[in-house]
Amino acid sequence: MLSYGSYIAGVEQPARQWVYTLRSSAMLRDFFGAVRLKRSLERGRIAPEEAGVEVVGRSAVADQEDMAVALRRAAAAVDEWAAVPAATRMRVVAEFHALVAEKHDALVELMIAEGHPRSLARWEAAGMLAATGPATRDFLSGQLEHRVRDGARELRVRRVADGVVCLNPPQNATVANALLGIWALAAGNALVVRAPRSAPLGVMYALRELVAPALERVGAPAAALSVLCCEAGATLRQWLASPLVDDIMYFGGSEQGIAFGAECVAAGKKPVLELAGNDVCVVWHDADLDLAAEALSEAFYGSGQICMVPNCAVVHPRVADELLAKLAARAAAIRPGPPEEPGALLSPVLRTDRFHEVLGQAEAAGAEIVCGGRRLDVDGRPDEVRGLFLEPTVIRVDGLKGARDLDAVRHETFFPLLPVVVPEEASDGELLAQVTDFVNSNEYGLRNSLWTGDEETAERFLSRLRNGGLVKVNDSHIGFLPVLPTHGGTGLTGGPGGEANYPLLRTSHLQGVSVARGVRPSEAVFGGPAAPGGPVEENEGVQV
């Protein structure tokens, strides 16, 4: 059984209270029995050695005083760590990447134990590797500093660490999002992570077994990293009130997240917001429909409870019927099951009442259910009373006008529910403009994608598209790629100032520097002689 105390500035603290993590499959088999076991362990009625194999591990529960110590130690570490050369700090990411590759299988198995279907856990691990690989590191290292020579001056534009960065991962993808903090560390910040009490073990493992050793390998100060399992509300209030905190990376729903971002600004903190997504995938008449249907079926990963899956499709009317038939066939093959099973893709859904409300509203407005719509048990059998899973559901919505009056189209639903909007017939030029305007008018803006066989159509779409932090053309909607960001977006996804999120850049700030020799201040004030031929680029980027 894994056991992690609070990790404060490189030291594991003794625990006064524990949160125990049971295998998700045990909860599916006997929910009430598993809850009784968990409570008995946490109340000390059963000794850990008597718990059995269904208990994966435990995490110490921290309090506000523990957090206060972590923040003080982090603030003391910033000056030392930020002064380390950028090339050395970037090596932390390379070491982390190597550790993820080395411990890939153990990491995947732990995420599965916490309830991630195997395919979903493997996808998340693939994202960690793609986002920290050599091509991405080389690209981002080039953003850290730029130098030019201008006569007697060396001019630099560089990125400087913000200071203490606090990270609050979401409950649905705790590990992958907590590990975005590796880039905040590479920027020269100290990092303090809250492991959610509902799912702390994966975060504790990832930070302790992947991030902490990477920092140690490059000689970083131990106080640059702390990770504590603690209650969300009190912790966020403590971060807002602390003068030691500079940035807060917050993951959650849009309504709460936008409000929290405003609180951050009022308290003098930089909010880095990762909120809801409501991604749109456009399928044009000349698309490869088999591949497009495969990409659209990614909407059902984790039962749609992932912000970056397709949430809405807009399909050219000439191919709508054919695509819907292909999509329905794919949806019918997606089944629930214990997360350990290789074919499992769906996760349990708690708010099934809300799912039926959204679906009923769409039907009342004229939408057609193409497939799905039922509750299922773990074996895939319909069970409208006790079913913990929802059948992958596709609905057809005719007409762009009025489509966003439906909650299924307008908002991220977090269900395995994909509305397919079929526009009215029009000329291709007019229709492409209407569809692009529809995508741009989306209140959210995480990812968008397009399927087309025509390069000109793709370029016209891209030239007009302003919404979103990432755009894919003829590609997996959720697949991770080197160099491109994994997170970030506009509107209700990233809040004011939202954009593609590279945490290395978002947790640092630009600073201009001039280093001169023999320059007379009076000449500089009134415009001294320029270097012959103007400024000359001296070097670009940081060699890693």
Side-chain angles (χ1 to χ4, degrees), residues 419-459:
V420 175
V421 180
V422 182
E424 299 87 346
E425 289 278 3
S427 67
D428 281 352
E430 181 182 356
L431 188 57
L432 184 63
Q434 292 174 0
V435 169
T436 310
D437 288 343
F438 181 83
V439 178
N440 278 330
S441 65
N442 187 5
E443 296 170 279
Y444 303 80
L446 182 55
R447 296 182 173 204
N448 295 303
S449 58
L450 168 70
W451 284 86
T452 178
D454 181 54
E455 290 185 10
E456 184 179 345
T457 298
E459 290 303 323

mmCIF file of all heavy atoms in Angstrom, residues 419-459:
data_model
loop_
_atom_site.group_PDB
_atom_site.id
_atom_site.type_symbol
_atom_site.label_atom_id
_atom_site.label_comp_id
_atom_site.label_asym_id
_atom_site.label_seq_id
_atom_site.Cartn_x
_atom_site.Cartn_y
_atom_site.Cartn_z
ATOM 1 N N PRO A 419 -24.338 16.566 -29.513
ATOM 2 C CA PRO A 419 -25.298 17.116 -30.468
ATOM 3 C C PRO A 419 -24.631 17.335 -31.826
ATOM 4 O O PRO A 419 -23.524 17.877 -31.902
ATOM 5 C CB PRO A 419 -25.703 18.446 -29.833
ATOM 6 C CG PRO A 419 -24.533 18.841 -28.993
ATOM 7 C CD PRO A 419 -23.859 17.572 -28.561
ATOM 8 N N VAL A 420 -25.290 16.910 -32.891
ATOM 9 C CA VAL A 420 -24.807 17.116 -34.253
ATOM 10 C C VAL A 420 -25.745 18.120 -34.915
ATOM 11 O O VAL A 420 -26.918 17.824 -35.163
ATOM 12 C CB VAL A 420 -24.773 15.795 -35.039
ATOM 13 C CG1 VAL A 420 -24.373 16.052 -36.494
ATOM 14 C CG2 VAL A 420 -23.798 14.813 -34.387
ATOM 15 N N VAL A 421 -25.221 19.300 -35.166
ATOM 16 C CA VAL A 421 -26.012 20.375 -35.764
ATOM 17 C C VAL A 421 -25.858 20.302 -37.278
ATOM 18 O O VAL A 421 -24.730 20.293 -37.799
ATOM 19 C CB VAL A 421 -25.555 21.753 -35.239
ATOM 20 C CG1 VAL A 421 -26.390 22.859 -35.871
ATOM 21 C CG2 VAL A 421 -25.666 21.808 -33.711
ATOM 22 N N VAL A 422 -26.989 20.262 -37.983
ATOM 23 C CA VAL A 422 -26.987 20.182 -39.445
ATOM 24 C C VAL A 422 -27.538 21.505 -39.982
ATOM 25 O O VAL A 422 -28.726 21.796 -39.836
ATOM 26 C CB VAL A 422 -27.851 19.016 -39.948
ATOM 27 C CG1 VAL A 422 -27.789 18.930 -41.470
ATOM 28 C CG2 VAL A 422 -27.390 17.696 -39.312
ATOM 29 N N PRO A 423 -26.681 22.345 -40.589
ATOM 30 C CA PRO A 423 -27.128 23.649 -41.076
ATOM 31 C C PRO A 423 -28.112 23.516 -42.239
ATOM 32 O O PRO A 423 -28.210 22.473 -42.905
ATOM 33 C CB PRO A 423 -25.837 24.328 -41.529
ATOM 34 C CG PRO A 423 -24.730 23.523 -40.937
ATOM 35 C CD PRO A 423 -25.248 22.133 -40.805
ATOM 36 N N GLU A 424 -28.818 24.623 -42.506
ATOM 37 C CA GLU A 424 -29.680 24.690 -43.678
ATOM 38 C C GLU A 424 -28.817 24.696 -44.946
ATOM 39 O O GLU A 424 -27.665 25.135 -44.933
ATOM 40 C CB GLU A 424 -30.535 25.960 -43.642
ATOM 41 C CG GLU A 424 -31.467 26.053 -42.435
ATOM 42 C CD GLU A 424 -30.806 26.680 -41.207
ATOM 43 O OE1 GLU A 424 -29.550 26.805 -41.210
ATOM 44 O OE2 GLU A 424 -31.530 27.024 -40.261
ATOM 45 N N GLU A 425 -29.362 24.214 -46.041
ATOM 46 C CA GLU A 425 -28.656 24.220 -47.324
ATOM 47 C C GLU A 425 -28.323 25.646 -47.743
ATOM 48 O O GLU A 425 -29.122 26.559 -47.578
ATOM 49 C CB GLU A 425 -29.515 23.559 -48.406
ATOM 50 C CG GLU A 425 -29.668 22.042 -48.251
ATOM 51 C CD GLU A 425 -28.478 21.277 -48.805
ATOM 52 O OE1 GLU A 425 -27.514 21.930 -49.264
ATOM 53 O OE2 GLU A 425 -28.517 20.027 -48.766
ATOM 54 N N ALA A 426 -27.126 25.823 -48.300
ATOM 55 C CA ALA A 426 -26.681 27.102 -48.842
ATOM 56 C C ALA A 426 -25.479 26.818 -49.722
ATOM 57 O O ALA A 426 -24.945 25.697 -49.746
ATOM 58 C CB ALA A 426 -26.322 28.079 -47.725
ATOM 59 N N SER A 427 -25.045 27.831 -50.466
ATOM 60 C CA SER A 427 -23.829 27.658 -51.259
ATOM 61 C C SER A 427 -22.664 27.398 -50.315
ATOM 62 O O SER A 427 -22.676 27.832 -49.160
ATOM 63 C CB SER A 427 -23.556 28.905 -52.090
ATOM 64 O OG SER A 427 -23.221 29.993 -51.253
ATOM 65 N N ASP A 428 -21.648 26.689 -50.807
ATOM 66 C CA ASP A 428 -20.540 26.333 -49.931
ATOM 67 C C ASP A 428 -19.858 27.554 -49.331
ATOM 68 O O ASP A 428 -19.492 27.547 -48.155
ATOM 69 C CB ASP A 428 -19.519 25.489 -50.705
ATOM 70 C CG ASP A 428 -19.965 24.036 -50.836
ATOM 71 O OD1 ASP A 428 -20.973 23.673 -50.201
ATOM 72 O OD2 ASP A 428 -19.305 23.277 -51.572
ATOM 73 N N GLY A 429 -19.667 28.599 -50.119
ATOM 74 C CA GLY A 429 -19.023 29.803 -49.605
ATOM 75 C C GLY A 429 -19.837 30.449 -48.497
ATOM 76 O O GLY A 429 -19.302 30.824 -47.447
ATOM 77 N N GLU A 430 -21.135 30.559 -48.718
ATOM 78 C CA GLU A 430 -22.009 31.165 -47.715
ATOM 79 C C GLU A 430 -22.096 30.283 -46.473
ATOM 80 O O GLU A 430 -22.057 30.774 -45.332
ATOM 81 C CB GLU A 430 -23.397 31.376 -48.316
ATOM 82 C CG GLU A 430 -24.394 32.024 -47.362
ATOM 83 C CD GLU A 430 -25.772 32.177 -47.999
ATOM 84 O OE1 GLU A 430 -25.917 31.850 -49.200
ATOM 85 O OE2 GLU A 430 -26.703 32.598 -47.277
ATOM 86 N N LEU A 431 -22.180 28.978 -46.697
ATOM 87 C CA LEU A 431 -22.320 28.055 -45.574
ATOM 88 C C LEU A 431 -21.061 28.031 -44.714
ATOM 89 O O LEU A 431 -21.141 28.006 -43.471
ATOM 90 C CB LEU A 431 -22.636 26.660 -46.091
ATOM 91 C CG LEU A 431 -22.997 25.611 -45.032
ATOM 92 C CD1 LEU A 431 -24.180 26.067 -44.200
ATOM 93 C CD2 LEU A 431 -23.295 24.268 -45.695
ATOM 94 N N LEU A 432 -19.886 28.059 -45.341
ATOM 95 C CA LEU A 432 -18.644 28.053 -44.572
ATOM 96 C C LEU A 432 -18.553 29.299 -43.699
ATOM 97 O O LEU A 432 -18.120 29.228 -42.534
ATOM 98 C CB LEU A 432 -17.431 27.961 -45.499
ATOM 99 C CG LEU A 432 -16.076 27.846 -44.788
ATOM 100 C CD1 LEU A 432 -15.999 26.567 -43.961
ATOM 101 C CD2 LEU A 432 -14.929 27.895 -45.792
ATOM 102 N N ALA A 433 -18.974 30.441 -44.242
ATOM 103 C CA ALA A 433 -18.964 31.678 -43.457
ATOM 104 C C ALA A 433 -19.921 31.559 -42.270
ATOM 105 O O ALA A 433 -19.593 31.968 -41.143
ATOM 106 C CB ALA A 433 -19.343 32.866 -44.336
ATOM 107 N N GLN A 434 -21.102 30.985 -42.488
ATOM 108 C CA GLN A 434 -22.082 30.829 -41.404
ATOM 109 C C GLN A 434 -21.552 29.895 -40.317
ATOM 110 O O GLN A 434 -21.692 30.169 -39.115
ATOM 111 C CB GLN A 434 -23.395 30.293 -41.965
ATOM 112 C CG GLN A 434 -24.148 31.253 -42.865
ATOM 113 C CD GLN A 434 -25.364 30.599 -43.508
ATOM 114 O OE1 GLN A 434 -25.649 29.424 -43.279
ATOM 115 N NE2 GLN A 434 -26.069 31.354 -44.344
ATOM 116 N N VAL A 435 -20.945 28.801 -40.751
ATOM 117 C CA VAL A 435 -20.432 27.829 -39.791
ATOM 118 C C VAL A 435 -19.278 28.428 -38.987
ATOM 119 O O VAL A 435 -19.196 28.254 -37.764
ATOM 120 C CB VAL A 435 -19.995 26.539 -40.512
ATOM 121 C CG1 VAL A 435 -19.210 25.627 -39.570
ATOM 122 C CG2 VAL A 435 -21.209 25.811 -41.066
ATOM 123 N N THR A 436 -18.387 29.146 -39.660
ATOM 124 C CA THR A 436 -17.263 29.771 -38.953
ATOM 125 C C THR A 436 -17.772 30.794 -37.953
ATOM 126 O O THR A 436 -17.267 30.883 -36.824
ATOM 127 C CB THR A 436 -16.285 30.420 -39.943
ATOM 128 O OG1 THR A 436 -15.948 29.481 -40.971
ATOM 129 C CG2 THR A 436 -15.012 30.850 -39.236
ATOM 130 N N ASP A 437 -18.778 31.578 -38.325
ATOM 131 C CA ASP A 437 -19.364 32.535 -37.393
ATOM 132 C C ASP A 437 -19.977 31.813 -36.193
ATOM 133 O O ASP A 437 -19.892 32.292 -35.054
ATOM 134 C CB ASP A 437 -20.443 33.375 -38.093
ATOM 135 C CG ASP A 437 -19.860 34.374 -39.085
ATOM 136 O OD1 ASP A 437 -18.648 34.640 -39.006
ATOM 137 O OD2 ASP A 437 -20.623 34.880 -39.932
ATOM 138 N N PHE A 438 -20.579 30.663 -36.447
ATOM 139 C CA PHE A 438 -21.167 29.872 -35.368
ATOM 140 C C PHE A 438 -20.084 29.429 -34.387
ATOM 141 O O PHE A 438 -20.266 29.503 -33.162
ATOM 142 C CB PHE A 438 -21.886 28.659 -35.965
ATOM 143 C CG PHE A 438 -22.559 27.778 -34.952
ATOM 144 C CD1 PHE A 438 -23.817 28.084 -34.471
ATOM 145 C CD2 PHE A 438 -21.929 26.624 -34.484
ATOM 146 C CE1 PHE A 438 -24.449 27.261 -33.543
ATOM 147 C CE2 PHE A 438 -22.553 25.802 -33.562
ATOM 148 C CZ PHE A 438 -23.807 26.119 -33.090
ATOM 149 N N VAL A 439 -18.956 28.974 -34.905
ATOM 150 C CA VAL A 439 -17.856 28.552 -34.035
ATOM 151 C C VAL A 439 -17.295 29.752 -33.273
ATOM 152 O O VAL A 439 -17.034 29.672 -32.062
ATOM 153 C CB VAL A 439 -16.753 27.847 -34.846
ATOM 154 C CG1 VAL A 439 -15.587 27.446 -33.940
ATOM 155 C CG2 VAL A 439 -17.304 26.618 -35.557
ATOM 156 N N ASN A 440 -17.122 30.881 -33.957
ATOM 157 C CA ASN A 440 -16.588 32.066 -33.295
ATOM 158 C C ASN A 440 -17.514 32.596 -32.204
ATOM 159 O O ASN A 440 -17.055 33.222 -31.246
ATOM 160 C CB ASN A 440 -16.327 33.175 -34.314
ATOM 161 C CG ASN A 440 -15.003 33.012 -35.042
ATOM 162 O OD1 ASN A 440 -14.048 32.469 -34.491
ATOM 163 N ND2 ASN A 440 -14.938 33.473 -36.275
ATOM 164 N N SER A 441 -18.809 32.368 -32.359
ATOM 165 C CA SER A 441 -19.769 32.897 -31.378
ATOM 166 C C SER A 441 -19.907 32.000 -30.148
ATOM 167 O O SER A 441 -20.651 32.334 -29.220
ATOM 168 C CB SER A 441 -21.147 33.078 -32.029
ATOM 169 O OG SER A 441 -21.697 31.827 -32.411
ATOM 170 N N ASN A 442 -19.205 30.891 -30.122
ATOM 171 C CA ASN A 442 -19.218 30.017 -28.956
ATOM 172 C C ASN A 442 -18.661 30.770 -27.755
ATOM 173 O O ASN A 442 -17.593 31.375 -27.820
ATOM 174 C CB ASN A 442 -18.364 28.780 -29.243
ATOM 175 C CG ASN A 442 -18.444 27.733 -28.152
ATOM 176 O OD1 ASN A 442 -19.198 27.857 -27.190
ATOM 177 N ND2 ASN A 442 -17.649 26.679 -28.304
ATOM 178 N N GLU A 443 -19.376 30.745 -26.624
ATOM 179 C CA GLU A 443 -18.913 31.449 -25.424
ATOM 180 C C GLU A 443 -17.649 30.835 -24.856
ATOM 181 O O GLU A 443 -16.914 31.492 -24.119
ATOM 182 C CB GLU A 443 -20.016 31.438 -24.359
ATOM 183 C CG GLU A 443 -21.276 32.174 -24.749
ATOM 184 C CD GLU A 443 -22.394 31.931 -23.769
ATOM 185 O OE1 GLU A 443 -23.056 30.878 -23.857
ATOM 186 O OE2 GLU A 443 -22.597 32.804 -22.891
ATOM 187 N N TYR A 444 -17.429 29.567 -25.168
ATOM 188 C CA TYR A 444 -16.233 28.867 -24.699
ATOM 189 C C TYR A 444 -15.200 28.868 -25.823
ATOM 190 O O TYR A 444 -15.505 29.188 -26.959
ATOM 191 C CB TYR A 444 -16.577 27.440 -24.309
ATOM 192 C CG TYR A 444 -17.656 27.325 -23.260
ATOM 193 C CD1 TYR A 444 -19.003 27.434 -23.604
ATOM 194 C CD2 TYR A 444 -17.344 27.097 -21.928
ATOM 195 C CE1 TYR A 444 -20.004 27.322 -22.641
ATOM 196 C CE2 TYR A 444 -18.332 26.975 -20.961
ATOM 197 C CZ TYR A 444 -19.663 27.097 -21.330
ATOM 198 O OH TYR A 444 -20.639 26.979 -20.377
ATOM 199 N N GLY A 445 -13.974 28.453 -25.511
ATOM 200 C CA GLY A 445 -12.967 28.451 -26.569
ATOM 201 C C GLY A 445 -11.739 27.650 -26.219
ATOM 202 O O GLY A 445 -10.651 28.203 -26.085
ATOM 203 N N LEU A 446 -11.900 26.346 -26.050
ATOM 204 C CA LEU A 446 -10.740 25.495 -25.755
ATOM 205 C C LEU A 446 -10.144 24.964 -27.060
ATOM 206 O O LEU A 446 -9.162 25.486 -27.561
ATOM 207 C CB LEU A 446 -11.148 24.357 -24.828
ATOM 208 C CG LEU A 446 -10.049 23.392 -24.363
ATOM 209 C CD1 LEU A 446 -8.897 24.141 -23.706
ATOM 210 C CD2 LEU A 446 -10.611 22.342 -23.428
ATOM 211 N N ARG A 447 -10.780 23.952 -27.652
ATOM 212 C CA ARG A 447 -10.298 23.384 -28.910
ATOM 213 C C ARG A 447 -11.415 23.429 -29.946
ATOM 214 O O ARG A 447 -12.589 23.315 -29.608
ATOM 215 C CB ARG A 447 -9.875 21.921 -28.709
ATOM 216 C CG ARG A 447 -8.704 21.727 -27.782
ATOM 217 C CD ARG A 447 -8.323 20.266 -27.665
ATOM 218 N NE ARG A 447 -7.086 20.145 -26.882
ATOM 219 C CZ ARG A 447 -6.255 19.132 -26.951
ATOM 220 N NH1 ARG A 447 -6.499 18.122 -27.773
ATOM 221 N NH2 ARG A 447 -5.169 19.089 -26.215
ATOM 222 N N ASN A 448 -11.038 23.573 -31.194
ATOM 223 C CA ASN A 448 -11.954 23.415 -32.321
ATOM 224 C C ASN A 448 -11.259 22.556 -33.366
ATOM 225 O O ASN A 448 -10.026 22.482 -33.396
ATOM 226 C CB ASN A 448 -12.333 24.773 -32.918
ATOM 227 C CG ASN A 448 -13.125 25.620 -31.943
ATOM 228 O OD1 ASN A 448 -14.179 25.212 -31.463
ATOM 229 N ND2 ASN A 448 -12.624 26.802 -31.630
ATOM 230 N N SER A 449 -12.050 21.917 -34.218
ATOM 231 C CA SER A 449 -11.430 21.114 -35.268
ATOM 232 C C SER A 449 -12.288 21.123 -36.521
ATOM 233 O O SER A 449 -13.482 21.450 -36.481
ATOM 234 C CB SER A 449 -11.166 19.684 -34.795
ATOM 235 O OG SER A 449 -12.351 19.048 -34.372
ATOM 236 N N LEU A 450 -11.659 20.786 -37.640
ATOM 237 C CA LEU A 450 -12.299 20.781 -38.960
ATOM 238 C C LEU A 450 -11.857 19.546 -39.723
ATOM 239 O O LEU A 450 -10.674 19.174 -39.707
ATOM 240 C CB LEU A 450 -11.899 22.044 -39.740
ATOM 241 C CG LEU A 450 -12.249 22.072 -41.229
ATOM 242 C CD1 LEU A 450 -13.765 22.192 -41.418
ATOM 243 C CD2 LEU A 450 -11.517 23.211 -41.936
ATOM 244 N N TRP A 451 -12.825 18.936 -40.415
ATOM 245 C CA TRP A 451 -12.523 17.832 -41.318
ATOM 246 C C TRP A 451 -12.928 18.238 -42.735
ATOM 247 O O TRP A 451 -14.091 18.560 -42.988
ATOM 248 C CB TRP A 451 -13.263 16.564 -40.894
ATOM 249 C CG TRP A 451 -12.613 15.935 -39.708
ATOM 250 C CD1 TRP A 451 -12.843 16.227 -38.398
ATOM 251 C CD2 TRP A 451 -11.592 14.942 -39.727
ATOM 252 N NE1 TRP A 451 -12.017 15.481 -37.589
ATOM 253 C CE2 TRP A 451 -11.251 14.662 -38.382
ATOM 254 C CE3 TRP A 451 -10.935 14.235 -40.736
ATOM 255 C CZ2 TRP A 451 -10.278 13.730 -38.033
ATOM 256 C CZ3 TRP A 451 -9.977 13.307 -40.390
ATOM 257 C CH2 TRP A 451 -9.646 13.054 -39.053
ATOM 258 N N THR A 452 -11.950 18.277 -43.624
ATOM 259 C CA THR A 452 -12.200 18.632 -45.018
ATOM 260 C C THR A 452 -11.106 18.039 -45.888
ATOM 261 O O THR A 452 -9.960 17.864 -45.441
ATOM 262 C CB THR A 452 -12.248 20.156 -45.207
ATOM 263 O OG1 THR A 452 -12.456 20.459 -46.599
ATOM 264 C CG2 THR A 452 -10.945 20.816 -44.777
ATOM 265 N N GLY A 453 -11.434 17.761 -47.145
ATOM 266 C CA GLY A 453 -10.441 17.260 -48.090
ATOM 267 C C GLY A 453 -9.837 18.354 -48.945
ATOM 268 O O GLY A 453 -8.996 18.078 -49.808
ATOM 269 N N ASP A 454 -10.234 19.603 -48.689
ATOM 270 C CA ASP A 454 -9.808 20.717 -49.542
ATOM 271 C C ASP A 454 -8.951 21.689 -48.745
ATOM 272 O O ASP A 454 -9.398 22.254 -47.734
ATOM 273 C CB ASP A 454 -11.037 21.430 -50.098
ATOM 274 C CG ASP A 454 -10.681 22.587 -51.007
ATOM 275 O OD1 ASP A 454 -9.928 22.378 -51.965
ATOM 276 O OD2 ASP A 454 -11.143 23.719 -50.722
ATOM 277 N N GLU A 455 -7.721 21.907 -49.200
ATOM 278 C CA GLU A 455 -6.807 22.806 -48.484
ATOM 279 C C GLU A 455 -7.331 24.238 -48.453
ATOM 280 O O GLU A 455 -7.165 24.951 -47.460
ATOM 281 C CB GLU A 455 -5.419 22.764 -49.124
ATOM 282 C CG GLU A 455 -4.681 21.448 -48.914
ATOM 283 C CD GLU A 455 -3.268 21.504 -49.468
ATOM 284 O OE1 GLU A 455 -2.812 22.613 -49.830
ATOM 285 O OE2 GLU A 455 -2.635 20.430 -49.540
ATOM 286 N N GLU A 456 -7.951 24.673 -49.542
ATOM 287 C CA GLU A 456 -8.466 26.032 -49.586
ATOM 288 C C GLU A 456 -9.573 26.235 -48.547
ATOM 289 O O GLU A 456 -9.629 27.270 -47.875
ATOM 290 C CB GLU A 456 -8.991 26.366 -50.980
ATOM 291 C CG GLU A 456 -9.469 27.813 -51.120
ATOM 292 C CD GLU A 456 -9.955 28.124 -52.523
ATOM 293 O OE1 GLU A 456 -9.676 27.335 -53.439
ATOM 294 O OE2 GLU A 456 -10.627 29.166 -52.679
ATOM 295 N N THR A 457 -10.443 25.250 -48.408
ATOM 296 C CA THR A 457 -11.485 25.331 -47.387
ATOM 297 C C THR A 457 -10.864 25.431 -46.001
ATOM 298 O O THR A 457 -11.300 26.231 -45.157
ATOM 299 C CB THR A 457 -12.408 24.103 -47.461
ATOM 300 O OG1 THR A 457 -13.060 24.086 -48.735
ATOM 301 C CG2 THR A 457 -13.450 24.128 -46.362
ATOM 302 N N ALA A 458 -9.844 24.623 -45.748
ATOM 303 C CA ALA A 458 -9.172 24.660 -44.448
ATOM 304 C C ALA A 458 -8.564 26.027 -44.181
ATOM 305 O O ALA A 458 -8.711 26.586 -43.083
ATOM 306 C CB ALA A 458 -8.100 23.576 -44.388
ATOM 307 N N GLU A 459 -7.899 26.607 -45.176
ATOM 308 C CA GLU A 459 -7.256 27.903 -44.976
ATOM 309 C C GLU A 459 -8.289 29.011 -44.784
ATOM 310 O O GLU A 459 -8.077 29.933 -43.991
ATOM 311 C CB GLU A 459 -6.327 28.222 -46.148
ATOM 312 C CG GLU A 459 -5.086 27.346 -46.207
ATOM 313 C CD GLU A 459 -4.263 27.408 -44.925
ATOM 314 O OE1 GLU A 459 -4.170 28.495 -44.305
ATOM 315 O OE2 GLU A 459 -3.714 26.359 -44.522
#
